[in-house]
Amino acid sequence: MNDQEQGKLNQEVTQSNKAKEILENTLFQESFEKLKNLYSTSLLNTGSNEGETREKLWLAYQVLNKVEQHFKEILETGKLASKQLEDFRTQIKNKKF
């Protein structure tokens, strides 16, 4: 593994740690739950002639889920990067002995 690859993995670990902080943040969690509830309740309460409103609410709900999923993907990528770095360090340590 070269320095550039290590740098990329370290960057992924750093981003993962930031994503974890965000996902575990109470304000973030409460905000997402509040918005999900708002969008889903509003969506279910639209009238039969409010197709455009329904579409916008559905889209807003989906975007919210995509944002949350993106943070989770960053978190998982960082976990894999951390494992790769750990394996690399173990491999180097074992070569020294």
Side-chain angles (χ1 to χ4, degrees):
M1 181 180 302
N2 63 35
D3 289 344
Q4 186 177 8
E5 291 170 330
Q6 286 182 38
K8 183 176 186 278
L9 292 174
N10 282 321
Q11 182 180 11
E12 289 174 351
V13 170
T14 299
Q15 292 294 334
S16 176
N17 291 335
K18 291 176 183 179
K20 182 179 180 183
E21 287 176 21
I22 291 169
L23 287 169
E24 291 177 350
N25 182 285
T26 305
L27 180 60
F28 179 84
Q29 292 172 352
E30 290 171 359
S31 297
F32 262 64
E33 282 307 309
K34 187 173 184 176
L35 287 170
K36 283 181 182 180
N37 288 333
L38 174 68
Y39 295 149
S40 61
T41 301
S42 297
L43 182 64
L44 292 172
N45 289 322
T46 55
S48 60
N49 60 345
E50 295 179 286
E52 187 175 329
T53 300
R54 247 189 324 279
E55 287 178 19
K56 288 179 181 178
L57 289 166
W58 180 84
L59 183 59
Y61 189 87
Q62 295 304 315
V63 168
L64 195 60
N65 283 331
K66 291 283 185 189
V67 169
E68 186 175 34
Q69 185 60 37
H70 181 68
F71 280 110
K72 289 178 181 179
E73 288 172 7
I74 292 170
L75 179 64
E76 291 304 314
T77 298
K79 286 180 183 178
L80 292 173
S82 180
K83 176 69 173 132
Q84 285 179 298
L85 286 168
E86 181 183 319
D87 291 347
F88 177 69
R89 289 179 186 127
T90 301
Q91 184 181 25
I92 288 176
K93 182 179 174 185
N94 290 338
K95 284 184 179 180
K96 289 181 180 179
F97 293 110

